[in-house]
Amino acid sequence: MAIRKKIPFTIRIKKNTLVDSFKGNRLHVYRLLMNLRPKQSRKLHHQKDIFGVNLWLTATRAEDGEWVIVATTHELEEALMRYKKRWNIET
């Protein structure tokens, strides 16, 4: 619904969500980010098909190693901050 109405959104996805690799193979999204260390973040420079929607991806790892992978339709630069703000409101 949000896609058809062009409503921008940002969501967290699980590390085992399937995406296409740079070579076209399907793999778990965290495999694209394997060398990401705790307290680091990274943005993928190409959209990925996630659940049939082309989305931008960015990720970070918490100090304890937990993955925080965020998919968005807009403004990749601020995606992690938007998710953090939302998480703080919900918890």
Side-chain angles (χ1 to χ4, degrees):
M1 181 65 92
I3 295 297
R4 283 184 279 179
K5 293 189 178 193
K6 297 185 180 182
I7 299 170
F9 63 88
T10 300
I11 59 169
R12 183 174 178 178
I13 60 173
K14 294 182 179 184
K15 71 179 189 174
N16 65 349
T17 300
L18 291 173
V19 297
D20 290 333
S21 71
F22 300 110
K23 295 180 180 179
N25 304 327
R26 299 288 285 172
L27 49 81
H28 295 131
V29 68
Y30 80 92
R31 304 264 319 206
L32 297 175
L33 306 158
M34 284 297 290
N35 58 354
L36 189 63
R37 290 180 166 61
K39 295 187 176 181
Q40 289 183 327
S41 62
R42 178 168 305 125
K43 298 175 275 250
L44 296 183
H45 297 286
H46 300 283
Q47 287 183 317
K48 295 292 178 186
D49 181 320
I50 301 177
F51 313 123
V53 180
N54 286 328
L55 299 171
W56 298 102
L57 294 176
T58 186
T60 190
R61 294 206 51 195
E63 285 186 50
D64 64 3
E66 180 182 0
W67 292 90
V68 179
I69 305 170
V70 175
T72 187
T73 56
H74 66 108
E75 300 169 22
L76 184 60
E77 299 298 322
E78 300 296 324
L80 285 172
M81 291 303 295
R82 275 192 307 278
Y83 180 77
K84 182 179 178 181
K85 181 178 179 180
R86 174 182 161 191
W87 182 256
N88 287 333
I89 290 169
E90 291 181 6
T91 57

